[in-house]
Amino acid sequence: MAATVLKRLAGAVLVLWATATFTFVVQLFMPGDRATMIINTQAGNLQNPSPEEIATLNERYGFDDSYLTQYLHYLGDLARGDLGVSYNQHQPVTEIIAAQIGPTIVLTVSALILAWVISLIITVLATGRDNVWSRAATGFQIVTAALPPYWIGTILLVLLAVQTGIFPVEGDTSVIGLILPALTLAIPLSGFLGQVTQDEFERVLEQPFVTSSRTRGMGDLGVRLRHVLRHAVLPAVTLSGWALGALFSGAVLIEAVFSRPGIGGILVQATSGRDIPLVTGVMLASAVMYIVANLLVDVAYRYVDPRLRTA
Amino acid sequence: MTRRSTVSALFSALLAVAVCACGSGGGSSTKAAALGAKQDSKPTTGGTIEYGHYQEPPCLVTTWVQTGYLTRQYLEQLITVDEKGEFLPWLAESWDISDDKQTYTFHLKPNVKFTNGEPFNSEAVKVNFDNWFSTDPTRRNGYVAFHVEDHIDKIETPDDLTVVFKLKHPHHPFLSALSQYAFGFLAPSVVKAGPEEWCVRPVGTGPFIVEKWNRGTNVVLKRNPNYNSAPGDVENKGPAYVDGINWKFLKDNTARWGSLKSGQSDVIYDIPGVNWAEANERYEVLRHITGGRPSQLALATDHAPFDDVKVRKAFQYASDRRKAVETVFQGAVPYNGNGALSASSPEHLKDLEDYYKYDPAKANQLLDEAGWTEKDADGIRSKNGKKLTVRIVYGAGSIISSDGSEFLQIVQDQAKQVGFDVQLKPITTADFFAGKGRQPGEFEIQPGYWVARSAEIFQVVWKPDAKADDGTVLPNANNTSRLQTDQVGIWQLVRQADQEYDDAKRTALYEQVQRKLVEEQAVTVGAYPLTVSLALSERITGIKLNASIGEPIFNDAYFVKGK
C-alpha cells in the first residue's frame, strides 16, 4: 500500500515538473522581446522602449541571465511554492489564482455530476429497448456529444435567460446562476459518457448472469440498476478523470459566455498578455486538478468493482 | 424513424427555436414615453448603477484607453474640455498663460482631499508628473510622456495651491493634452507604493472610490461622500446622486446585450453591431466618435512597393471603403475616409473624406504608369519579375476587432481586382505588443488608431525617427507609415502649428498637414474612427460621455422615480 502511495506521489511530482518545464521552454521560443512586451502591455500602446527601460526590466526579471540560470531560479521558486508576481497585474500569482479557482472548481464538478445524472438516466431507461423514445434518447446523445459547448451556452443563454428571464443572464455565484453554465458543459459530456456506457450496457445485458437474475424473478429496472449498471459504468468512470480536465478547459469559454468569475478569464488575459508567471500558475493548478481527479477515479474504481480491491 | 432522421429532426427543432428567439417586440413609442419621463424627472438619490462594460484591464491604472473609461470614475485631472473645445476647470480652478506662452500657471482648488485623507496640492501634482516621466517602465506613463515630455522644461510649486509648468517652447496643444484621461492624479502615498498598490487599490479625488476588484467579474465603485471637486462639464457639483456603480465585465456580446434587455444591467457599453438598430428603437443611445488618428491603414513608405506614391494612390482608389464600413458595422460606426484625422477632431478636413473615391480604373492606370504592368493568370501584377504583394500586419482582437477584420477582408478582395496580392497577417495581442511583425520592413500596411482630442496627435504619430548619440536610428513606433516627415516639409508644419496661438492660423497649418498627408503623400488610408456607444434603460438618466475621449460620466446620473 505504502509503495502504491509513493509511486502515485512520484508520478504527481513528475507531471508537475513536466508541466512547469514545458511552459518555461515554450515561452523562451515565443517571438518578440519579453521586456518590450511588458512595457507595451503596461502602457496599452505600441512603442519602441529605450535601451535603459529594457535594461531595467531585464535586470528585474533576470531576462539577461543564461537560460539555465533562469530555469534553475524558476524551479527553485516553484519548489518553495513561490509562483512569482504577475507581469501585468503586479500581484502575487498565488493570490490571483486562489481568489478565482473556487468558482471554476464548483462549475466543473457540478457539470461532471450533472453529466453523469443525465447519461445514467438515459442509459438505464433507454438502452436495449426498441421504441421511439429510446431511439430519440440515443439520437439526443449522439447529437449532444458533438455539439460545441460555446454554441449550447449561447442558445441556452438566449432562450432561458435573455428571452424568458427564468435564469439570470450574468451567471453569479448563486446556485441558480450555476445551472445554465453547468448544463452547458454537462450536455455534450453526458452524450459522450452515455455513448460509452451504453455500448457496455448493451453487452452486459446479454451476459448469462443477467438472464439468471431475471429468472430469479427480479424486475427489469432492478436488474438494470443493481447488476448491469455496475459493470457498465466502469469505462465511463475511467473517462471521468480525463473529463474533469476537459471540463476545466471548457470552463474557460463558458465562464466568458455567462460572465462567471473563475480561472478562465485569468487564463485568457494571461495568455494574450503573455504573462508567463500567471500562465504557469494556471497550468500548474490545472495539472493538480488533473492529478486529484485521477486519484479519485482510482478510488471510485475500487468501490464500483470489488474485484480490484485486492489487486 | 431511422437514427439519422431523428438526429436531423432534433437539430432542426433546436435551430428553429434559436431563430424564433431572435425576434423581439418593443418599439419607438415605448422609447418616446421613457425619454419623456426622463426629461420630466428630478434627480433622486440612491441606488447602484449596474453597468455592463466589455474589456477588463490588467491593472486599474494604465494608459490604455479602455482603462481610461474606468479611471475617470476615481482619478481626476487639472482641467477638462467640452464639445465646443472650451477648456473647463477641474482640479485647477483657473490658469494663466504667460505672454511668451512658455509659462503655464495653474491655481488649484482648495480643500480637495484624496479619498484616503491626503490633501490634493501642488506637491501631489509634481509627484505624479515625476512618476509619469520615470525611467522605470512599470511606473512610466507612455501616453503622458509622448504628449508633453518633449515640451516641459521644469515643474515648479511656489506654494501649496500653485503649479507652474515652464515649457521649452510654446506648445499650444498643452491644455488639450492635460484634458485627456491619462493625466489623472493618484494620491502621493499610492504613487510611492508603486504598481503593486495602484493596480488594485488606486486612490484619487474622484466622485467614486474603488472598493473592490473581483477579477473577471466587476469593479465595485462606491460614492465618495466628501466629493467637492466636480469638473466644469457636469451639473451636480456635490457627491454623486447614486450610491455606487457595479462596473461589470461582460465580454460576450450576447450576454452584455441580454443583460440590458433582461434588466440585469441599467447601462451597457459597446452595443453590438447586430443590435444597433434595435438599441436605437428601444433605448436611449449615447455615442462618441473618438478624435485623434482614426483606424486607418498606414502604407510603409520605406520600401517597395509603397515607396512609390503612385502605388500608394492606386491602393487608395482600389477599394470601396465607405461601403465596406457600412456593410460591416451596420451604422454603429461611421466611415472616416480622411485617414489623417478623425471626423470628431475640430481641425478635421471634411473634403478629404472622399478624396480617394472607389475608382478601379484610376487604380489600374496608376499601377500601369508605375510600371507594374505584367499580370499573371490570377490578375496579380508584377514588375521586373517581382509580384505586387503587400502584407497587412495587424493586432487581431486588440487593435482590430472582429468587425475590423471583416473590413480588411473586403479591402483585400477589392484590391485584388486591380492586381494587388494582399496578404492578411493577424498577430496575437501578446506577439503584437512584443513587437512581432511591426519592425520596419516586416509590413507594407499596418492598420491602427491613436486616440487624442484633436490634431495634437500629429506630433506623436508623425514624429521622424530619432538618432541616438552613437548614430543608431531609434524608429518612432507610432509612425507606422515610416514617412520621414521632416524630409517632405510636413514635420516643420506640425511644429509651426503646435507653436501657433492664433486659432485661424493654427487651424490653417493643421489643414495643410492633412492635405499633404492625404493628397500629396497618400500614406494613410482612411477607415473608421474608434467609437464609444452606450445604451441606457428607461430606469436611468443623466449619464454623458466626455467630449475628449468619450469616457462615461456618472456625476449627474440618477434613477428615474417609479421605474
Side-chain angles (χ1 to χ4, degrees):
Chain A
M1 191 63 200
T4 322
V5 172
L6 269 181
K7 233 166 98 181
R8 280 273 160 204
L9 267 178
V13 171
L14 195 72
V15 169
L16 287 180
W17 170 79
T19 311
T21 305
F22 180 73
T23 357
F24 180 83
V25 172
V26 163
Q27 56 123 355
L28 290 183
F29 291 104
M30 297 289 237
D33 176 62
R34 282 181 285 178
T36 306
M37 192 192 63
I38 294 171
I39 293 169
N40 281 330
T41 311
Q42 169 86 12
N45 52 41
L46 308 170
Q47 42 187 299
N48 288 334
S50 66
E52 295 82 36
E53 290 179 82
I54 296 205
T56 313
L57 277 199
N58 281 342
E59 163 86 36
R60 184 169 309 160
Y61 295 115
F63 294 153
D64 277 345
D65 298 341
S66 75
Y67 288 158
L68 184 67
T69 316
Q70 291 188 43
Y71 179 62
L72 292 178
H73 265 287
Y74 165 79
L75 282 191
D77 287 347
L78 281 188
R80 283 194 301 276
D82 179 3
L83 292 175
V85 173
S86 154
Y87 291 161
N88 298 332
Q89 303 192 14
H90 302 281
Q91 305 298 313
V93 168
T94 37
E95 275 178 31
I96 299 174
I97 292 179
Q100 294 287 322
I101 201 158
T104 303
I105 292 178
V106 170
L107 174 61
T108 47
V109 172
S110 340
L112 185 64
I113 294 172
L114 209 54
W116 265 96
V117 171
I118 298 172
S119 73
L120 286 187
I121 290 176
I122 292 182
T123 305
V124 171
L125 296 184
T127 311
R129 298 185 206 276
D130 198 23
N131 57 42
V132 175
W133 292 111
S134 81
R135 283 199 219 113
T138 319
F140 175 76
Q141 287 190 324
I142 294 175
V143 174
T144 52
L147 285 180
Y150 184 81
W151 187 80
I152 300 179
T154 309
I155 296 290
L156 289 180
L157 182 70
V158 170
L159 285 186
L160 299 179
V162 177
Q163 294 292 332
T164 57
I166 301 172
F167 293 96
V169 177
E170 298 158 33
D172 42 25
T173 44
S174 66
V175 175
I176 185 130
L178 178 65
I179 295 176
L180 288 188
L183 205 56
T184 304
L185 287 172
I187 286 173
L189 182 62
S190 75
F192 193 73
L193 291 179
Q195 288 282 298
V196 176
T197 315
Q198 235 168 337
D199 289 346
E200 189 65 14
F201 205 94
E202 269 172 15
R203 200 181 60 79
V204 178
L205 269 180
E206 285 153 19
Q207 297 292 313
F209 71 86
V210 173
T211 322
S212 72
S213 302
R214 285 193 209 276
T215 48
R216 284 205 310 272
M218 247 180 127
D220 181 51
L221 192 64
V223 172
R224 281 168 177 262
L225 280 176
R226 286 191 52 193
H227 293 289
V228 184
L229 191 61
R230 194 159 209 159
H231 286 83
V233 293
L234 280 174
V237 169
T238 316
L239 278 173
S240 292
W242 159 85
L244 206 60
L247 285 172
F248 212 70
S249 54
V252 170
L253 281 174
I254 298 313
E255 281 170 1
V257 173
F258 291 95
S259 318
R260 264 181 73 85
I263 211 98
I266 295 184
L267 184 60
V268 171
Q269 217 178 38
T271 316
S272 68
R274 216 187 298 155
D275 192 336
I276 297 303
L278 196 48
V279 172
T280 311
V282 175
M283 295 274 283
L284 286 175
S286 316
V288 169
M289 281 280 286
Y290 186 79
I291 291 167
V292 171
N294 279 290
L295 280 175
L296 290 179
V297 165
D298 274 9
V299 174
Y301 232 96
R302 277 150 208 265
Y303 178 76
V304 177
D305 188 348
R307 287 170 303 183
L308 288 171
R309 277 174 220 168
T310 49
Chain B
M1 218 183 197
T2 63
R3 190 172 260 204
R4 186 190 276 155
S5 61
T6 319
V7 172
S8 60
L10 267 166
F11 220 99
S12 30
L14 268 172
L15 275 176
V17 173
V19 170
C20 299
C22 302
S24 58
S28 38
S29 58
T30 1
K31 182 186 170 181
L35 280 179
K38 282 184 181 186
Q39 271 155 19
D40 298 341
S41 66
K42 293 263 172 338
T44 57
T45 51
T48 296
I49 299 177
E50 295 288 328
Y51 173 71
H53 198 76
Y54 176 12
Q55 299 93 337
E56 180 174 19
C59 161
L60 294 185
V61 181
T62 79
T63 55
W64 186 28
V65 61
Q66 291 296 338
T67 322
Y69 303 143
L70 191 51
T71 53
R72 162 85 200 198
Q73 315 311 326
Y74 39 87
L75 305 187
E76 297 189 296
Q77 305 145 213
L78 284 176
I79 56 172
T80 187
V81 66
D82 66 10
E83 290 81 9
K84 295 186 291 274
E86 202 172 317
F87 299 105
L88 303 171
W90 197 346
L91 286 176
E93 228 168 22
S94 63
W95 54 93
D96 336 293
I97 304 168
S98 66
D99 289 341
D100 69 353
K101 315 292 185 198
Q102 278 177 250
T103 307
Y104 280 66
T105 307
F106 290 87
H107 307 285
L108 307 182
K109 251 178 217 168
N111 307 320
V112 175
K113 279 190 162 50
F114 288 100
T115 51
N116 63 359
E118 288 175 55
F120 171 76
N121 52 26
S122 56
E123 187 52 31
V125 173
K126 187 156 169 28
V127 166
N128 274 276
F129 269 89
D130 287 347
N131 187 55
W132 294 334
F133 296 152
S134 162
T135 52
D136 177 344
T138 58
R139 289 180 165 271
R140 187 176 170 82
N141 179 328
Y143 192 97
V144 166
F146 279 135
H147 277 277
V148 299
E149 196 177 26
D150 278 356
H151 314 298
I152 294 178
D153 182 26
K154 54 179 183 273
I155 301 170
E156 290 168 353
T157 53
D159 65 57
D160 236 24
L161 295 177
T162 311
V163 183
V164 181
F165 292 86
K166 297 265 190 203
L167 302 190
K168 292 179 190 159
H169 42 246
H171 185 63
H172 185 270
F174 190 58
L175 288 181
S176 187
L178 292 183
S179 75
Q180 287 171 27
Y181 69 96
F183 289 77
F185 300 109
L186 281 165
S189 68
V190 178
V191 171
K192 201 168 161 235
E196 296 76 11
E197 190 64 21
W198 75 56
C199 278
V200 281
R201 286 172 293 274
V203 175
T205 55
F208 296 95
I209 303 171
V210 175
E211 190 174 77
K212 194 163 188 275
W213 176 15
N214 300 302
R215 277 200 181 70
T217 312
N218 62 353
V219 173
V220 182
L221 299 166
K222 284 271 170 270
R223 166 176 42 204
N224 172 3
N226 306 314
Y227 184 65
N228 63 352
S229 48
D233 58 348
V234 304
E235 312 277 318
N236 171 18
K237 299 299 174 193
Y241 296 128
V242 295
D243 293 334
I245 305 170
N246 182 14
W247 189 289
K248 302 175 290 190
F249 303 108
L250 307 177
K251 296 163 197 95
D252 188 84
N253 279 354
T254 314
R256 201 166 61 255
W257 177 248
S259 163
L260 176 71
K261 277 188 83 170
S262 68
Q264 271 186 283
S265 286
D266 303 307
V267 195
I268 61 156
Y269 162 85
D270 197 37
I271 302 164
V274 288
N275 305 114
W276 179 249
E278 190 190 345
N280 279 281
E281 211 172 280
R282 296 170 65 116
Y283 301 109
E284 182 184 348
V285 170
L286 307 179
R287 186 170 81 160
H288 180 268
I289 308 294
T290 308
R293 165 182 262 192
S295 284
Q296 49 78 55
L297 315 183
L299 307 181
T301 58
D302 56 353
H303 62 279
F306 289 134
D307 53 349
D308 183 341
V309 68
K310 284 198 168 139
V311 183
R312 301 205 288 267
K313 286 187 175 165
F315 190 82
Q316 302 257 18
Y317 285 120
S319 59
D320 192 348
R321 289 166 279 130
R322 178 182 285 280
K323 196 130 175 244
V325 168
E326 281 165 7
T327 311
V328 168
F329 294 100
Q330 301 181 35
V333 175
Y335 174 59
N336 203 123
N338 175 355
L341 210 51
S342 155
S344 72
S345 296
E347 305 85 354
H348 167 261
L349 269 180
K350 219 170 165 201
D351 64 290
L352 292 181
E353 283 293 296
D354 284 309
Y355 189 81
Y356 295 104
K357 259 201 186 129
Y358 179 45
D359 192 341
K362 223 176 216 166
N364 275 313
Q365 186 199 334
L366 282 160
L367 288 174
D368 287 340
E369 284 172 27
W372 295 87
T373 43
E374 303 143 35
K375 273 193 182 179
D376 68 10
D378 297 329
I380 302 299
R381 288 168 180 270
S382 57
K383 179 179 175 180
N384 304 329
K386 210 179 164 292
K387 253 171 78 169
L388 185 53
T389 300
V390 293
R391 293 164 294 175
I392 304 187
V393 175
Y394 61 102
S398 51
I399 309 294
I400 298 295
S401 65
S402 54
D403 286 346
S405 307
E406 240 177 274
F407 168 81
L408 293 180
Q409 284 161 23
I410 298 177
V411 170
Q412 173 190 38
D413 197 49
Q414 291 186 328
K416 204 182 155 197
Q417 309 300 318
V418 303
F420 278 101
D421 167 32
V422 182
Q423 300 182 353
L424 296 182
K425 305 248 180 218
I427 310 269
T428 64
T429 311
D431 289 347
F432 203 65
F433 280 149
K436 187 189 175 195
R438 291 194 294 113
Q439 301 312 312
E442 291 186 326
F443 61 92
E444 282 72 45
I445 301 176
Q446 197 185 122
Y449 62 83
W450 235 107
V451 304
R453 193 185 69 85
S454 60
E456 74 229 37
I457 200 61
F458 289 156
Q459 60 122 5
V460 176
V461 297
W462 297 108
K463 189 177 173 179
D465 293 347
K467 275 214 174 70
D469 297 335
D470 60 356
T472 49
V473 177
L474 302 170
N476 172 8
N478 304 314
N479 178 5
T480 37
S481 81
R482 315 299 314 130
L483 181 73
Q484 298 309 315
T485 50
D486 50 347
Q487 292 163 20
V488 290
I490 293 177
W491 184 240
Q492 292 80 346
L493 286 172
V494 172
R495 276 303 194 219
Q496 213 184 323
D498 284 349
Q499 301 195 14
E500 178 57 67
Y501 280 64
D502 181 291
D503 289 347
K505 280 187 192 159
R506 187 181 60 256
T507 305
L509 286 164
Y510 283 137
E511 286 177 358
Q512 264 193 67
V513 173
Q514 293 171 65
R515 287 203 190 283
K516 275 181 161 282
L517 288 170
V518 176
E519 294 177 357
E520 182 189 301
Q521 297 296 334
V523 283
T524 165
V525 184
Y528 51 89
L530 184 69
T531 303
V532 177
S533 62
L534 250 53
L536 279 64
S537 82
E538 71 283 359
R539 296 183 298 280
I540 189 97
T541 191
I543 300 172
K544 49 175 95 160
L545 299 177
N546 172 259
S548 170
I549 305 295
E551 321 95 272
I553 306 177
F554 293 99
N555 298 52
D556 293 331
Y558 62 90
F559 284 95
V560 180
K561 257 212 179 91
K563 286 283 174 181

